[in-house]
Amino acid sequence: MKIKGNVNLNDNFYAKGEVNFDSAQIYGNLNCDSGNIINENGYSLYCQNIKILGDVFLREKFYVKGDVDFYSAQIERTFALNDFWIIGDLILLSSKIDELDINIENLEKINNFELDGLEYNHIKTKTLNFKWLEKMSEFKPQPYKQLAKVLEIMGHNKESNDIMIEYNVALKYDTTSLE
């Protein structure tokens, strides 16, 4: 599927079941601000292998019951996660994003935040508290190293070092690395 403009699932958009953009190309933005997608038995928003030349907006009371999957997505600009409510997994495995704009206060309802292989060039957040790495279903080194690298490039050297300290603590207590 090729969409030569924006996709707007916003302003109280409601879907019951899976919204599927598998391998789609969107030449504009994917806007889900104030949208609602309910699928209690699987994926709510399925965007594996999607390519978006603009931004992804999951903000302004975006509500999802079910998994949100952006596995292997390419997002040329910002992936914004602010003022959202996801009851399920949020999957960004092996995705490439220019800017990750994240508000960590809303992460408590996410079951798992799958981040292994996620690459981004810049991070924007209200606070430099990065406890969201703990929402991964299992310890993976790459998300810690990616975050530390981006913070260092942005000039946040202390925070970059703090992430690597957290990484070493998590590595020490990771039982899967002993197998």
Side-chain angles (χ1 to χ4, degrees), residues 32-170:
C32 297
D33 288 352
S34 303
N36 300 276
I37 306 172
I38 311 297
N39 188 9
E40 298 184 38
N41 298 316
Y43 296 107
S44 289
L45 184 57
Y46 189 82
C47 296
Q48 283 194 5
N49 303 303
I50 195 169
K51 183 172 184 177
I52 300 172
L53 297 182
D55 301 303
V56 173
F57 300 118
L58 308 178
R59 313 172 301 182
E60 298 178 17
K61 303 197 183 333
F62 173 62
Y63 178 82
V64 171
K65 196 167 198 178
D67 298 337
V68 174
D69 190 349
F70 279 86
Y71 172 80
S72 198
Q74 292 181 24
I75 299 161
E76 298 293 321
R77 295 192 348 206
T78 301
F79 188 92
L81 282 163
N82 294 294
D83 195 19
F84 64 94
W85 194 273
I86 298 173
I87 301 171
D89 294 348
L90 177 56
I91 303 161
L92 295 174
L93 295 167
S94 301
S95 292
K96 292 182 180 9
I97 299 169
D98 182 50
E99 178 182 60
L100 184 60
D101 179 357
I102 186 169
N103 181 347
I104 62 167
E105 283 87 35
N106 296 100
L107 292 175
E108 68 269 357
K109 292 293 181 186
I110 292 176
N111 294 337
N112 296 305
F113 196 8
E114 301 301 339
L115 303 166
D116 193 34
L118 171 64
E119 296 178 14
Y120 48 95
N121 300 316
H122 185 78
I123 190 162
K124 180 179 174 184
T125 183
K126 290 181 182 178
T127 174
L128 288 176
N129 176 356
F130 297 103
K131 295 295 182 185
W132 49 275
L133 292 172
E134 296 171 0
K135 293 297 287 185
M136 292 186 292
S137 61
E138 62 182 278
F139 171 78
K140 297 287 185 177
Q142 186 274 341
Y144 286 86
K145 292 178 180 181
Q146 173 68 34
L147 178 57
K149 174 181 137 185
V150 169
L151 288 172
E152 185 175 356
I153 290 169
M154 292 174 58
H156 298 287
N157 295 323
K158 180 192 177 309
E159 290 82 0
S160 176
N161 290 336
D162 290 346
I163 292 300
M164 289 312 294
I165 290 168
E166 285 185 38
Y167 162 77
N168 285 312
V169 168

